[in-house]
Amino acid sequence: MKFYDREAEQQLLAEVLAQSRHEARMTVLMGRRRIGKTELSLRCGDDTTLYFFVGRKAEALLCRDFSEEIMNKLGVPLLGRTDSFAAVFRYVLQLSESRPFTLVIDEFQNFQRVNPSVFSDMQRDWDLWRHRSRLNLIISGSVFTLMKRIFEDYKEPLFGRANEKLTLQPFRTGVLKEILSDFRPDYTPEDLLALFSITGGVAWYVALLLDRGKTSKDKMLRALTDDNSPFAAEGRNILIEEFGADYVVYFSILTCIASGMKTRAEIKNELGIDNISSYLARLEQYYGLISKHQPIFAKESSKKVRYQIDDCFLVFWFRFFFKYQALTENMALKALGTIISRDYDSLSGLMLERYFARKFREEGRYIVGQWWDRRGCNEIDLVVVDPVGREAWAYELKKDAARYDAATLDRKVEAMLAQTPELRRMTMHTGLLCLQDM
């Protein structure tokens, strides 16, 4: 698959590259695994780019790899000590003083396991050399919690050193449409919804499906449970390091949310965990995997709180692969495929809501949310507010437009207006959004 989107990010990296020709610059690139950080960093625009991958092996072995990269790209041998990353990094800073280039350090957070003193060593040498050096340093990492701590915790050595910090997001809805159209010009809305539901716009998953010709809904769903499917263990692979020994509890909570349990009480009753609130708080604030939602314009103190997993792929993975892990562990993937085909429609309705919510947010003009009453009797799928134009739209979302009932939506809107004075001062519109509007 060709390289799509990321124009704004590439422009920023190009600007930083130009600045680094006068004084060293450090850019931190964060984002979940598979989002496309490495590809983006290697497209910074520099003719000479060194790439250091921090694998989980001894520091001396890593430094041997890095020394070979320096020799291959710059044609100069690393003299002296080669078993210390601090020595390698200092050498790179010195080299760039007379010969500017880019250094990409990928999976940087792994130094926490290899040698945690690397961070303080880097801080010392960066502070000493950055005004003389002309290094364009791009640091990339995918364990969100560690990267945030390394660069945003004021107690950490590298706090405040980054000149730029980028958090790479999934492809926008318009980009997903462009990509699918390139692979299959006659795609249907169902195909687009399936691509969004499974991948959430994460670049690697999109390429994994489309490069293999999985361009229709049915082909995409079947690909999930092919023999040796890379999707089967993916959720475990990207999260097990984040959670450590507590992964069973966190995985169980995420499975509950993915299965439709939205409130703290529902999750607590299902799992029987008394201190469920502390786990939910960490999933939200520390790991950044779930978010807490309230009805639009509800007061912060409102108890009408619901939780959701923000990553579409993880919703899919916990809803099917982890929930039915006995099938995956016993290689009964055909049985799991039958379950996915059977239950996909109910999940795709939720994903249709997410698609349109993301689409409106991408415009940068609207406040986007939902509304529900305390008992859950009245719910509105999507509420979009233009605070400048003083207009609001309440949408019912249906895959099948024939199921839309305008009178029912109007009654729900009356209930919402009765409880939401902010909306009573706006011009209110109602309507339907369905597959054909994607």
Side-chain angles (χ1 to χ4, degrees):
M1 189 174 83
K2 72 179 186 181
F3 191 77
Y4 286 90
D5 198 24
R6 312 305 189 198
E7 287 90 354
E9 291 88 349
Q10 286 185 288
Q11 177 62 34
L12 177 59
L13 291 180
E15 292 171 1
V16 173
L17 175 63
Q19 295 165 7
S20 73
R21 294 310 189 233
H22 306 285
E23 182 178 284
R25 287 290 184 270
M26 181 190 298
T27 302
V28 174
L29 187 57
M30 293 185 286
R32 64 144 15 246
R33 282 190 174 96
R34 318 298 199 188
I35 202 73
K37 300 182 299 301
T38 302
E39 185 69 22
L40 175 63
S41 62
L42 294 175
R43 290 173 176 267
C44 66
D46 202 342
D47 293 332
T48 305
T49 300
L50 275 63
Y51 177 73
F52 291 0
F53 178 80
V54 185
R56 295 183 186 177
K57 53 186 178 181
E59 184 176 2
L61 296 179
L62 287 175
C63 291
R64 187 181 303 168
D65 295 341
F66 302 159
S67 299
E68 290 180 3
E69 177 74 354
I70 294 170
M71 183 64 193
N72 291 336
K73 296 289 180 64
L74 301 181
V76 293
L78 180 59
L79 303 176
R81 191 177 174 194
T82 59
D83 61 350
S84 161
F85 180 75
V88 174
F89 185 64
R90 190 179 311 117
Y91 183 60
V92 166
L93 284 168
Q94 294 168 353
L95 279 176
S96 67
E97 188 176 357
S98 59
R99 181 180 181 178
F101 55 86
T102 293
L103 169 62
V104 175
I105 306 178
D106 202 359
E107 296 300 348
F108 181 75
Q109 76 283 338
N110 284 340
F111 276 127
Q112 183 70 38
R113 288 174 178 262
V114 175
N115 179 4
S117 67
V118 162
F119 306 132
S120 56
D121 293 337
M122 285 186 66
Q123 177 234 318
R124 178 196 63 225
D125 290 327
W126 182 259
D127 290 348
L128 285 172
W129 286 90
R130 66 186 175 88
H131 296 299
R132 288 177 287 170
S133 169
R134 291 188 290 168
L135 178 66
N136 180 36
L137 176 61
I138 301 176
I139 293 175
S140 175
S142 56
V143 178
F144 187 75
T145 50
L146 284 176
M147 290 294 289
K148 292 277 283 187
R149 188 176 76 198
I150 291 167
F151 291 99
E152 298 184 8
D153 186 336
Y154 73 94
K155 298 178 183 178
E156 294 296 320
L158 291 173
F159 173 78
R161 267 57 185 189
N163 301 100
E164 300 288 347
K165 284 184 285 189
L166 287 174
T167 300
L168 207 56
Q169 301 296 333
F171 287 135
R172 293 173 288 113
T173 54
V175 176
L176 266 186
K177 293 172 70 172
E178 176 192 352
I179 296 171
L180 185 55
S181 179
D182 285 348
F183 279 85
R184 186 180 180 186
D186 62 342
Y187 76 86
T188 68
E190 279 281 13
D191 301 330
L192 176 60
L193 181 58
L195 184 64
F196 176 81
S197 301
I198 296 169
T199 71
V202 173
W204 191 75
Y205 305 142
V206 174
L208 195 62
L209 290 172
L210 299 186
D211 281 344
R212 298 180 180 184
K214 313 303 182 182
T215 57
S216 69
K217 182 192 85 169
D218 291 340
K219 288 181 179 179
M220 291 179 205
L221 293 179
R222 285 198 298 269
L224 296 173
T225 53
D226 282 345
D227 291 340
N228 303 311
S229 168
F231 295 101
E234 177 68 4
R236 189 184 300 275
N237 291 341
I238 64 177
L239 290 178
I240 201 78
E241 183 181 354
E242 290 267 17
F243 295 146
D246 286 337
Y247 85 91
V248 173
V249 176
Y250 287 118
F251 274 31
S252 299
I253 293 171
L254 292 170
T255 300
C256 288
I257 298 173
S259 299
M261 300 176 202
K262 301 175 182 178
T263 67
R264 183 186 65 83
E266 288 175 318
I267 299 167
K268 179 181 178 180
N269 291 339
E270 177 71 14
L271 300 178
I273 299 174
D274 291 332
N275 59 336
I276 195 71
S277 295
S278 63
Y279 286 103
L280 290 168
R282 286 180 66 80
L283 282 169
E284 179 193 4
Q285 299 164 17
Y286 187 68
Y287 294 111
L289 288 172
I290 68 173
S291 55
K292 187 166 56 177
H293 293 264
Q294 295 174 309
I296 194 165
F297 293 124
K299 294 180 180 178
E300 193 172 336
S301 58
S302 171
K303 295 183 178 180
K304 293 187 284 186
V305 173
R306 293 177 174 180
Y307 293 93
Q308 74 170 36
I309 300 172
D310 293 323
D311 188 296
C312 291
F313 173 78
L314 290 179
V315 174
F316 212 99
W317 191 83
F318 280 103
R319 174 66 181 81
F320 294 111
F321 288 97
F322 188 73
K323 183 176 181 180
Y324 299 101
Q325 62 179 318
L327 296 179
T328 58
E329 290 172 359
N330 286 280
M331 301 304 294
L333 293 180
K334 288 185 179 179
L336 180 59
T338 300
I339 293 172
I340 291 175
S341 297
R342 182 194 69 196
D343 296 346
Y344 168 76
D345 281 344
S346 61
L347 179 64
S348 65
L350 167 67
M351 292 304 178
L352 187 67
E353 295 176 13
R354 291 197 174 196
Y355 179 91
F356 282 111
R358 187 188 291 186
K359 186 176 181 180
F360 279 109
R361 286 194 182 98
E362 288 166 353
E363 295 190 31
R365 298 174 46 224
Y366 302 111
I367 298 170
V368 181
Q370 296 174 302
W371 182 84
W372 60 91
D373 60 18
R374 186 176 297 275
R375 294 183 178 180
C377 299
N378 291 301
E379 295 190 29
I380 298 177
D381 296 331
L382 183 63
V383 182
V384 179
V385 176
D386 177 0
V388 177
R390 309 295 295 171
E391 291 186 274
W393 293 262
Y395 290 110
E396 190 84 5
L397 272 62
K398 299 288 186 185
K399 292 178 66 177
D400 181 2
R403 295 177 56 203
Y404 172 60
D405 185 339
T408 299
L409 178 58
D410 288 341
R411 286 195 295 271
K412 293 178 180 179
V413 170
E414 287 180 13
M416 177 176 67
L417 293 175
Q419 299 179 33
T420 315
E422 294 87 350
L423 290 173
R424 293 201 292 269
R425 297 190 286 269
M426 298 185 180
T427 303
M428 195 77 209
H429 310 277
T430 61
L432 164 72
L433 291 172
C434 61
L435 283 170
Q436 280 62 40
D437 298 307
M438 293 180 67

